[in-house]
Amino acid sequence: MTPALARVELLVWRPANPRDPGDVATGWPEVLQVRVAASRWRLPGVALRAGEPVRAAAARVAYAVGLTLPAARSRVLSAHRQRATPGSPVRLTLVVDGGWVAASEVLLATSELASCRCRPAAHHRRWAHAETTNPATLDALRAALSHPAREKSQP
């Protein structure tokens, strides 16, 4: 049996029009991304622990980036599987709906947010235009936009 690693990533987005979060006529939403030091920017996420519910892992991610996971929904928006390669196991990434926040609710220092609550190494956070993200993030965002959650994330 091939070993596998599972990761849960949280999609938190900032709509162009907070009065109608699903409306993309004025532009695609921005998505929250994190990175440590000089690593690449990506959705915030954690490794799924053995026996841990996906919602619990998503709540850990939300806490780390300073948000409260919406109670009404924490649905899996997309799942992506990466094949095993020599020396590397199968990887499964589940992208969970973290809800949306309005621009007025998030304080920005230029385009980058303050560091998160993680220790010992803090992640840097930023809002990125959806068009510049990877295809897996866009798939998840399309799913979120097609049926936006009624509740926002709470900063």
Side-chain angles (χ1 to χ4, degrees):
M1 183 170 173
T2 306
L5 295 176
R7 180 174 171 81
V8 173
E9 294 183 341
L10 193 64
L11 176 67
V12 177
W13 48 289
R14 188 168 73 171
N17 179 3
R19 283 174 259 132
D20 186 3
D23 178 20
V24 293
T26 57
W28 278 86
E30 294 178 311
V31 297
L32 181 66
Q33 292 184 328
V34 299
R35 76 174 180 183
V36 176
S39 66
R40 67 182 176 88
W41 288 100
R42 63 189 301 171
L43 293 179
V46 295
L48 184 64
R49 298 173 180 157
E52 180 180 31
V54 171
R55 183 167 177 20
R60 284 194 294 126
V61 178
Y63 174 79
V65 296
L67 299 171
T68 302
L69 196 61
R73 299 206 189 199
S74 57
R75 60 198 170 156
V76 174
L77 296 170
S78 68
H80 295 274
R81 182 180 179 271
Q82 183 179 357
R83 293 182 185 185
T85 57
S88 179
V90 171
R91 295 180 186 272
L92 176 65
T93 302
L94 303 171
V95 180
V96 175
D97 191 353
W100 60 275
V101 294
S104 62
E105 297 171 342
V106 181
L107 299 176
L108 291 172
T110 63
S111 64
E112 196 167 319
L113 299 162
S115 296
C116 67
R117 299 176 182 165
C118 298
R119 299 282 182 255
H123 291 85
H124 297 283
R125 303 179 302 163
R126 74 171 184 182
W127 292 104
H129 293 285
E131 300 91 348
T132 65
T133 62
N134 64 42
T137 300
L138 280 176
D139 288 347
L141 187 56
R142 283 184 190 101
L145 289 171
S146 65
H147 300 288
R150 293 180 188 267
E151 285 186 69
K152 298 183 289 183
S153 296
Q154 296 301 314

